[in-house]
Amino acid sequence: MTNSSHKILPFLLAMSMPLAAIAQTATPAVKAAAPARAAPAARPVVTTPSHNAQFQQQVNRQQVINQQNQNAVQQQLRQNNMNQQRNTATDPGLRNQLDNADRAQQQTYQSQQDATVRRDPTNPRVRDATQRTAPASSGSAGH
């Protein structure tokens, strides 16, 4: 290399540095001019209740389920008692009264179960328990 080329090389290097810096800053500007992509959807913040709150929720659910089970057992006992009375009744008027009382008891039972579910509507297992614990109705068909 000649002496003049040694002087030109630093000059070119000094001139290329600002050009390289401009080229680097121009690249994001070009990207910014490109159509913007949709920002990813923000994830919802999920908070979990404290251990005490979770325990209390579980206790409340269990109390509701226990109450529904208790109602179902009582209704089953009433139903069995009603069936015995109906089977031994010979008077058609008495049978009619027993059928009416049976319907009233079933409506009362259903309203008790519905009220219990309304106390804890957030728990699907409680609503399912209502369907599981409903006693079988013997009805009065054929009597």
Side-chain angles (χ1 to χ4, degrees), residues 68-85:
Q68 288 180 321
N69 290 339
Q70 222 173 11
N71 291 346
V73 168
Q74 289 174 353
Q75 179 63 14
Q76 191 65 49
L77 290 173
R78 281 190 215 108
Q79 192 69 47
N80 290 341
N81 186 24
M82 186 67 65
N83 289 341
Q84 286 178 348
Q85 289 178 9

Side-chain angles (χ1 to χ4, degrees), residues 56-142:
Q56 189 60 48
Q57 286 174 350
Q58 184 61 35
V59 167
N60 292 344
R61 285 185 201 115
Q62 194 59 50
Q63 285 176 342
V64 170
I65 290 170
N66 289 345
Q67 184 64 45
Q68 288 180 321
N69 290 339
Q70 222 173 11
N71 291 346
V73 168
Q74 289 174 353
Q75 179 63 14
Q76 191 65 49
L77 290 173
R78 281 190 215 108
Q79 192 69 47
N80 290 341
N81 186 24
M82 186 67 65
N83 289 341
Q84 286 178 348
Q85 289 178 9
R86 187 183 294 118
N87 289 337
T88 58
T90 55
D91 180 25
L94 179 59
R95 280 189 184 214
N96 190 25
Q97 286 179 345
L98 290 172
D99 288 341
N100 290 339
D102 185 30
R103 279 192 291 279
Q105 283 181 350
Q106 287 179 3
Q107 289 173 350
T108 301
Y109 167 76
Q110 189 58 48
S111 64
Q112 284 176 338
Q113 295 297 72
D114 291 344
T116 305
V117 170
R118 275 193 298 276
R119 279 186 236 133
D120 191 6
T122 60
N123 186 1
R125 286 185 284 171
V126 172
R127 288 192 298 272
D128 293 343
T130 303
Q131 295 166 357
R132 282 195 310 268
T133 59
S137 173
S138 64
S140 61

